[in-house]
Amino acid sequence: MTKDLSEHPLVQHYLTILRDHRTQASEFRRCCRGITGVIMVEAARSLQLDPVEVTTPLEVTQGARLCPGVVFVPILRAGLGMLDPAMNVIPNSSVGYIGLERDEVTAEASCYYAKMPDLSDSTQVFVLDPMLATGGSAAQCVEQIKAHGAKRVSMVCIIAAPEGVATFQEEHPDVPVVAGKIDRQLNDKKYILPGLGDFGDRLFNT
Ligand code: PRP
Ligand code: URA
């Protein structure tokens, strides 16, 4: 299942600033935080609830609390920009990290770091990566997360390419992709068009 949130006015607003080649790092970071909050609220629809009773000043009524066991896994580096705003949406969460870097020529991702908290079949994992291009980084990350025992995984992106989403979903049909926008296509260097360029470079001013 893929969700494209580009109809949302806030997504359109933040994405326009992120795409603009003139946008400087500080503004880029601010908009990354803003758009991630909106996308994360939508991704959070997959969360499970425990029913609880709550006493208002007037009476007792039925309420609900989030089940514990939410884990965020940002893909380094660029996914780090999404971590803080995602934790603002779901504060009671744990964090794992995975470092993946695309080869500049082949665009194939290789893993240079991984640190996961305990994961079980009831854990809800949200993988954070702003750009899903060929889908290789996302697929490798989810493979490792599943190998650690998680069964409930969602992919949270800011921009995805249709080719990458198709490849990713062939490998992981059980993992929903929630994206701010599914863009047009990849170019011959496997960059997303129209895209916003290299997210990590723009976020970290490198
Ligand atoms: C970017 C991006 C994704 C990946 C997407 O990371 O943040 O992780 O490329 O491409 P794919 O879908 O084709 O695998 P990059 O490898 O540039 O590393 P960085 O975040 O450290 O800049
Ligand atoms: N990674 C990026 O940062 N941008 C792209 O367009 C593709 C991969």
Side-chain angles (χ1 to χ4, degrees):
M1 193 242 306
T2 309
K3 275 193 196 166
D4 177 327
L5 306 179
S6 55
E7 292 295 306
H8 197 299
L10 285 171
V11 170
Q12 292 187 26
H13 171 78
Y14 288 126
L15 203 48
T16 302
I17 301 170
L18 289 168
R19 286 195 198 280
D20 192 328
H21 68 108
R22 296 167 302 183
T23 300
Q24 298 298 305
S26 59
E27 178 73 343
F28 193 89
R29 289 169 191 152
R30 188 183 69 80
C31 293
C32 173
R33 285 195 293 274
I35 197 169
T36 300
V38 180
I39 300 168
M40 212 33 244
V41 166
E42 188 58 34
R45 283 184 190 275
S46 63
L47 290 175
Q48 292 184 317
L49 295 168
D50 281 329
V52 289
E53 277 191 346
V54 57
T55 308
T56 77
L58 301 173
E59 62 179 31
V60 176
T61 186
Q62 196 57 39
R65 279 193 207 284
L66 291 179
C67 293
V70 173
V71 171
F72 291 113
V73 179
I75 300 184
L76 310 180
R77 289 178 302 168
L80 282 178
M82 299 173 76
L83 178 60
D84 197 48
M87 289 194 299
N88 276 340
V89 175
I90 310 169
N92 189 14
S93 49
S94 307
V95 182
Y97 293 91
I98 187 156
L100 285 161
E101 190 167 35
R102 292 201 322 173
D103 182 280
E104 280 186 13
V105 179
T106 65
E108 268 191 40
S110 56
C111 181
Y112 58 87
Y113 183 75
K115 181 115 184 142
M116 292 292 158
D118 288 340
L119 303 175
S120 73
D121 52 10
S122 64
T123 308
Q124 169 68 60
V125 181
F126 293 104
V127 178
L128 307 174
D129 193 340
M131 307 301 272
L132 191 157
T134 66
S137 304
Q140 270 198 53
C141 177
V142 170
E143 200 179 313
Q144 289 205 34
I145 287 166
K146 287 181 175 173
H148 277 76
K151 296 215 166 4
R152 299 166 51 82
V153 188
S154 298
M155 194 64 220
V156 185
C157 315
I158 294 178
I159 300 181
E163 303 93 315
V165 172
T167 306
F168 176 80
Q169 291 198 316
E170 251 170 55
E171 227 171 295
H172 300 291
D174 54 318
V175 177
V177 176
V178 186
K181 170 96 169 117
I182 310 288
D183 260 359
R184 195 176 72 244
Q185 66 183 98
L186 295 174
N187 70 9
D188 56 2
K189 294 200 165 101
K190 310 295 184 200
Y191 272 78
I192 301 173
L193 297 175
L196 50 71
D198 188 307
F199 200 100
D201 282 349
R202 299 196 62 190
L203 183 71
F204 294 114
N205 210 11
T206 52

